[in-house]
Amino acid sequence: MSQDEFAKALRKAGEDLGEPNDASKRLVQRWEAGISRSPRPLYARALERVTGRPLEALGFALPVPMARVHDDGAGGHDMDAGTTGAVNAAGSPRAATRASAENYSGVWLSRYEFYSSSRDETYECKHHVVIVQHGNRLTAQSLPGASTNPDSPLTLDLNVDRNVVTGTWTEQTAPDGYYSGARYFGAIQMLVEPTGRRMAGKWVGFGKDFDINTGPWELRLLDTSTAKATLESYSRVPG
């Protein structure tokens, strides 16, 4: 996009989110030049919607009102502005902890199963996805190269009501894969476990022959950080 086009996309995203903004070419120039490094929350939410990436991954500092809260392991809480690395001193992924079941931003392992009638077999698909939360809305997108189905990006658009998560899913299959680049989509509903580290439920959608199918789907929390280094470390095929 040109700077004008990007500003226009931000304004439209603001309207879609119910919080109009005045994004302009000049504002985009200030961001690109590094003059402004901490956009206001309404611009931050529009940026994440347009790009599909968390603010930290775009090179911005996280605005204080959007800072992630996490358990410090000592009975208190710190504010994580997204600068914490993805591994600890031992080189293993940092233990995923959460202070509140109301904050789900982070990297999650998505796993679902589906039955292929043409092959008479059940298959499992895994993605590393990054979830960004705004209020009771969760948006999730698979990370590059982080799927057991190569070149099959996945997106989720979810809403949280206490421990119930409801929304939609979309997956674009690989052009050279079994489903020849077909785009599939449907609905999903899951329940959040009390720890806030796992969601499990069912998906529903149409199959290759346009019949209605369903199957299990779960999300497991891997890391509460959405920093650029963290996302890069999970941009790999899930084990």
Side-chain angles (χ1 to χ4, degrees), residues 6-210:
F6 191 66
K8 182 178 179 181
L10 290 171
R11 292 194 297 273
K12 183 179 185 304
E15 293 173 0
D16 293 342
L17 291 168
E19 45 183 24
N21 62 65
D22 297 317
S24 64
K25 177 180 178 179
R26 176 59 181 158
L27 180 60
V28 175
Q29 289 174 337
R30 289 174 59 83
W31 289 337
E32 291 186 348
I35 297 171
S36 176
R37 288 188 42 78
S38 184
R40 290 163 52 196
L42 81 164
Y43 287 119
R45 288 186 281 272
L47 280 162
E48 291 181 336
R49 184 177 181 90
V50 171
T51 64
R53 288 284 182 267
L55 196 65
E56 304 95 306
L58 301 176
F60 290 107
L62 195 66
V64 172
M66 294 178 63
R68 326 294 190 200
V69 180
H70 67 84
D71 189 346
D72 66 3
H77 306 89
D78 341 76
M79 302 302 291
D80 179 3
T83 58
T84 305
V87 297
N88 59 21
S92 60
R94 184 176 63 251
T97 59
R98 186 170 303 284
S100 168
E102 297 180 355
N103 183 3
Y104 300 103
S105 295
V107 178
W108 295 68
L109 172 63
S110 166
R111 185 185 70 83
Y112 70 84
E113 295 179 3
F114 72 97
Y115 174 72
S116 173
S117 57
S118 59
R119 292 175 285 182
D120 192 26
E121 190 171 349
T122 297
Y123 292 86
E124 178 185 72
C125 298
K126 296 180 181 179
H127 295 78
H128 284 152
V129 302
V130 57
I131 291 181
V132 177
Q133 179 170 356
H134 296 303
N136 67 340
R137 185 176 176 220
L138 309 178
T139 56
Q141 184 168 351
S142 58
L143 295 170
S147 169
T148 52
N149 287 343
D151 301 321
S152 295
L154 169 72
T155 57
L156 302 169
D157 194 351
L158 310 169
N159 281 278
V160 183
D161 184 354
R162 289 169 292 184
N163 67 326
V164 180
V165 177
T166 306
T168 60
W169 61 271
T170 302
E171 185 169 2
Q172 180 72 47
T173 63
D176 57 351
Y178 182 80
Y179 294 99
S180 305
R183 177 176 174 268
Y184 290 97
F185 52 90
I188 183 173
Q189 188 164 62
M190 296 181 286
L191 296 177
V192 184
E193 291 186 347
T195 62
R197 296 178 57 179
R198 179 175 180 264
M199 309 177 191
K202 298 279 188 178
W203 62 267
V204 63
F206 63 91
K208 187 177 181 181
D209 298 322
F210 293 97

